[in-house]
Amino acid sequence: MDECGPRDEERLARAALTRIVEPGDEAAGRWLRTYGPQEVLAALKSDGPPLPGVGEERWAGLRSRVQRARPEADLAAIEAVGGRFLCPGDREWPGQLDALGVTRPIGVFVRGAPYLRFWALRSVAIVGARACTEYGVHVAAVLSAGLAERGWTVVSGAAYGIDGAAHRGALAAGGATIGVLACGVDVAYPPGHGELIRRIGEQGLLIAELPPHDHPSRSRFVMRNRVIAALTRGTVVVEAALRSGSLSTARHARRLGRLVMGVPGPVTSGLSAGVNELLREEGCVITDAAEVIELVGNIGELAPVRRGPSLPRDVLPGETALVLDALPGRGAADAAQVAEAVGITPDAAVVRLKELCALGFVEHTGSRWKLSRAGLP
């Protein structure tokens, strides 16, 4: 527990509310901002009228969940797996989550040794389709490994497909990765990723808004995405169909003023349609880790300029290059023909042709000149 953070009473109240209130509940967020967690919990336990912003039916639904709130047991459960419960105000709390306003998490359960706030400072989200292609898996893994090797934390949702490839790429590079779950951090979901989630918890960090043992639902996956977007400097979508849930992470990132990036895919692939549409709007095209870092990193962290292979003829001076271009691809020409084609005197053409001959670009046969093998395009 952070000695300079929230009091024990506030921590217990927040832990209790994670059992009562669903992640991202705006009404509850306004209550927390106005009254504080202890007062909100006390109101839910009382027989008094609803707090502002909800009707009797909704209030009754929330109050029906009060009996299942056992904060002491949940805090003991997270400590038993080597984790902790972070609240706003804790030193380890990542301040970028505060950008979510009234949908800010009540608190987050964390599993893993690293310090969340530090790891989140230089982090990038990599998300995409669950039913992805081999191309998507390869790109996500290579991109994540490149970011991890450069000291960046890769954040994703531990789901099948692109998420899993992103985590594996970072782990393979010996780098940092954070899995943001839509269930308790002691729950392996999806079940097929049990080993991967265990590795993330041992080598990286697992975080969740839901208390231990809690299971995911469709709405919790959607709300989980806002945490991924807020926690990171930018979101990269690798592969996504037009209705992919991963695009909601990009939309959250855009609303928060974070960078939105995408890896372009084939126009014939439905799994790239969502990303390509994202890039038509406001997304930035990226193809490797260096380009991501140039966008989200500090001043001076520039990606190398991409160029095609350099050729010997690229270094020729202007007039000399024009003389070389004036020679026919087949056969030979005399200096006068070359001079006329370039627009220079025959004497000047002879000088340039002799330079090209010395460099191995042309051959001299009698009074005529022709391209050598090195001079051919």
Side-chain angles (χ1 to χ4, degrees):
M1 185 180 299
D2 192 329
E3 294 181 358
C4 297
R7 301 186 309 276
D8 289 348
E9 296 82 0
E10 178 180 344
R11 194 175 301 277
L12 285 168
R14 286 184 177 273
L17 288 170
T18 64
R19 287 281 181 191
I20 301 169
V21 176
E22 284 294 308
D25 188 308
E26 294 186 17
R30 285 190 287 270
W31 299 336
L32 287 169
R33 179 177 289 181
T34 304
Y35 306 107
Q38 293 109 302
E39 289 77 2
V40 173
L41 182 61
L44 285 163
K45 289 181 175 180
S46 74
D47 294 327
L51 290 174
V54 298
E56 294 286 350
E57 186 175 348
R58 171 81 189 289
W59 184 253
L62 289 172
R63 291 193 67 242
S64 69
R65 291 181 161 195
V66 169
Q67 298 305 316
R68 70 180 191 178
R70 294 179 174 83
E72 293 88 352
D74 285 335
L75 294 180
I78 191 65
E79 289 179 9
V81 295
R84 53 210 178 271
F85 179 60
L86 298 181
C87 302
D90 282 335
R91 287 178 178 174
E92 195 183 350
W93 179 262
Q96 51 267 54
L97 291 181
D98 299 340
L100 289 169
V102 294
T103 67
R104 180 181 71 174
I106 296 168
V108 292
F109 294 86
V110 181
R111 186 174 183 179
Y115 206 72
L116 175 60
R117 184 166 69 88
F118 291 160
W119 269 30
L121 288 175
R122 281 170 60 88
S123 64
V124 176
I126 298 181
V127 297
R130 287 174 172 80
C132 59
T133 66
E134 290 185 7
Y135 162 79
V137 168
H138 174 77
V139 170
V142 171
L143 190 60
S144 298
L147 288 165
E149 288 168 353
R150 292 164 174 82
W152 285 77
T153 301
V154 174
V155 180
S156 198
Y160 292 132
I162 297 301
D163 287 19
H167 290 303
R168 290 190 181 96
L171 290 169
T177 189
I178 299 174
V180 183
L181 307 182
C183 55
V185 293
D186 59 341
V187 177
Y189 191 91
H193 272 182
E195 176 61 20
L196 174 62
I197 291 170
R198 182 192 65 78
R199 287 183 61 203
I200 297 171
E202 290 178 353
Q203 300 178 42
L205 285 170
L206 295 169
I207 73 170
E209 296 178 79
L210 281 304
H213 318 313
D214 223 342
H215 289 271
S217 65
R218 181 179 179 83
S219 63
R220 289 173 173 180
F221 280 117
V222 174
M223 296 312 296
R224 179 270 310 271
N225 292 342
R226 84 194 195 288
V227 175
I228 295 176
L231 196 64
T232 54
R233 290 198 189 181
T235 292
V236 180
V237 184
V238 174
E239 244 182 355
L242 287 171
R243 289 180 55 84
S244 172
S246 60
L247 294 177
S248 72
T249 309
R251 289 191 288 270
H252 283 300
R254 182 181 295 128
R255 284 194 290 268
L256 292 166
R258 308 288 200 266
L259 279 161
V260 176
M261 298 158 278
V263 178
V267 297
T268 54
S269 171
L271 283 171
S272 290
V275 183
N276 294 340
E277 184 67 21
L278 181 73
L279 296 175
R280 287 187 65 230
E281 296 170 354
E282 298 179 31
C284 300
V285 175
I286 61 97
T287 60
D288 62 17
E291 292 175 351
V292 175
I293 294 170
E294 180 177 294
L295 290 169
V296 302
N298 298 321
I299 294 174
E301 294 186 273
L302 302 177
V305 178
R306 295 181 182 274
R307 295 188 176 92
S310 59
L311 301 173
R313 65 192 299 152
D314 293 340
V315 299
L316 294 175
E319 190 171 272
T320 306
L322 290 173
V323 168
L324 181 63
D325 289 341
L327 288 169
R330 292 183 178 180
D334 58 33
Q337 291 173 313
V338 173
E340 182 179 353
V342 178
I344 56 177
T345 66
D347 289 342
V350 170
V351 171
R352 301 305 176 211
L353 286 164
K354 287 181 177 178
E355 290 175 354
L356 290 167
C357 187
L359 293 169
F361 286 101
V362 303
E363 298 174 358
H364 187 205
T365 56
S367 63
R368 298 174 71 79
W369 305 80
K370 68 176 183 178
L371 295 171
S372 66
R373 184 176 297 274
L376 291 171

